[in-house]
Amino acid sequence: MPKKDSKNQKKSIGIKETLAGADTSLMEKQLKEQIEAPMVRLSYTYAMDVVQAKLKMINADLTEQFDRQVIRSMTGRIKQTDSIAKKLMRKGREVTFQAAVTTLNNIAGIRVFCDDIYRVADYIKKQKDITLLKEKDYVKNPKKSGYQSIHLIVGIPVTYLEKTKEIRVEIQIRSFAMDYWAELDNQMCYKKNAGQIENVERATKDYSDVIAKVDNQMLELRRQIEKK
Ligand code: 0O2
């Protein structure tokens, strides 16, 4: 059975298998050396810290307004080199540092968990000290897999040795239920053959629709309570 989209091909693509003829181990080695260089990592960490600090301020603001924690929690990570290499290959790019930093939007990534995802997304977009570079609404337009989240790619200026670069950070905004779904979907992609079990694939897509429906109903309930 064909895989549902490129995300599902993740584990099946081996770095060495895909770049036939190219000196893949040398490319991987160079990518690793450059992407894991202390200043590069520090730049991504810094950009991520700035965004997380901003999100904490947004949450404080929303908490004051709505008398509850609107952002329930958040996590951040820098994408592992191995995962960067695989993603570059999935996108048909060269496995180089240059290709990674110019084409990948989520080397630095933050996940925000909340029920009122549009309110949080709108708040982030209103911030004058954060540049919004790209927005993807996978809630209004879920992926073929059933994946749902709002993605905001923001740019953070980072200055080092008098040179300023814009570092991109991907903010994924989703409910806990959507996150539970995404994790399950990921596990399905990574587990050998799991994606080929037809009922598993259909069930995950169906559950994503159920989750969206329940998320909306709960939020509607929340709004009614807040109006009182
Ligand atoms: P990981 O393991 O999370 O790091 P683009 O921004 O358009 O250049 P990109 O980044 O491929 O290209 O865009 P896309 O499709 O929006 O995917 C970005 C991230 O969203 C992915 O990062 C996943 O975290 C998540 N995602 C997208 N589609 C799916 C899906 O079908 N299932 C699950 N579980 N997550 C998904 P990475 O780097 O692919 O993976």
Side-chain angles (χ1 to χ4, degrees):
M1 185 176 176
K3 300 274 187 186
K4 41 186 180 171
D5 56 38
S6 63
K7 170 93 189 164
N8 281 12
Q9 291 161 10
K10 276 184 143 189
K11 271 278 148 146
S12 54
I13 299 173
I15 294 181
K16 308 243 165 23
E17 297 150 34
T18 339
L19 285 184
D23 189 346
T24 52
S25 53
L26 181 66
M27 285 167 104
E28 271 180 76
K29 199 169 158 255
Q30 282 173 346
L31 172 70
K32 190 174 168 58
E33 268 169 20
Q34 290 176 289
I35 206 97
E36 292 179 13
M39 272 322 294
V40 174
R41 282 196 80 82
L42 270 177
S43 300
Y44 279 101
T45 307
Y46 168 81
M48 223 161 55
D49 287 350
V50 169
V51 177
Q52 281 185 315
K54 191 74 220 175
L55 289 166
K56 282 182 192 155
M57 287 173 77
I58 290 172
N59 198 28
D61 200 350
L62 291 170
T63 303
E64 178 104 10
Q65 282 185 52
F66 297 97
D67 207 21
R68 69 181 180 93
Q69 289 271 344
V70 175
I71 295 178
R72 305 298 302 195
S73 68
M74 62 176 112
T75 58
R77 64 99 182 94
I78 295 182
K79 201 170 179 59
Q80 294 195 342
T81 309
D82 180 50
S83 169
I84 291 175
K86 283 183 182 144
K87 186 159 182 173
L88 286 171
M89 282 186 291
R90 260 191 357 250
K91 287 178 168 284
R93 307 277 178 169
E94 268 196 324
V95 182
T96 62
F97 173 74
Q98 203 49 32
V101 296
T102 54
T103 58
L104 303 188
N105 289 321
N106 70 343
I107 294 180
I110 293 171
R111 269 183 200 147
V112 173
F113 307 104
C114 55
D115 58 2
D116 212 342
I117 50 177
Y118 283 103
R119 177 168 276 148
V120 171
D122 287 344
Y123 237 79
I124 298 171
K125 289 192 274 178
K126 273 201 296 199
Q127 305 302 307
K128 294 207 166 55
D129 46 2
I130 284 189
T131 311
L132 179 70
L133 303 174
K134 196 170 178 181
E135 178 178 1
K136 296 188 201 174
D137 189 342
Y138 294 132
V139 178
K140 279 204 182 89
N141 306 299
K143 291 195 112 178
K144 234 166 81 192
S145 58
Y147 176 78
Q148 300 191 44
S149 275
I150 298 176
H151 291 190
L152 302 179
I153 318 286
V154 298
I156 302 296
V158 180
T159 304
Y160 173 62
L161 291 177
E162 294 180 11
K163 274 194 194 147
T164 302
K165 285 188 180 161
E166 188 173 64
I167 299 278
R168 277 162 288 151
V169 180
E170 181 183 75
I171 308 171
Q172 297 184 346
I173 308 164
R174 55 174 75 157
S175 68
F176 277 115
M178 286 173 191
D179 188 58
Y180 184 35
W181 182 96
E183 259 196 56
L184 191 76
D185 180 61
N186 239 343
Q187 192 186 13
M188 192 181 91
C189 301
Y190 282 68
K191 278 252 179 207
K192 217 172 160 225
N193 299 330
Q196 285 154 12
I197 306 169
E198 201 172 342
N199 62 343
V200 171
E201 188 167 320
R202 202 178 319 113
T204 49
K205 174 74 186 75
D206 290 350
Y207 295 162
S208 145
D209 296 338
V210 172
I211 282 168
K213 200 168 161 210
V214 175
D215 273 348
N216 280 331
Q217 287 170 334
M218 299 280 279
L219 189 59
E220 185 49 40
L221 210 60
R222 168 90 79 189
R223 294 229 162 99
Q224 284 177 24
I225 295 165
E226 280 175 352
K227 265 192 218 152
K228 296 254 168 211

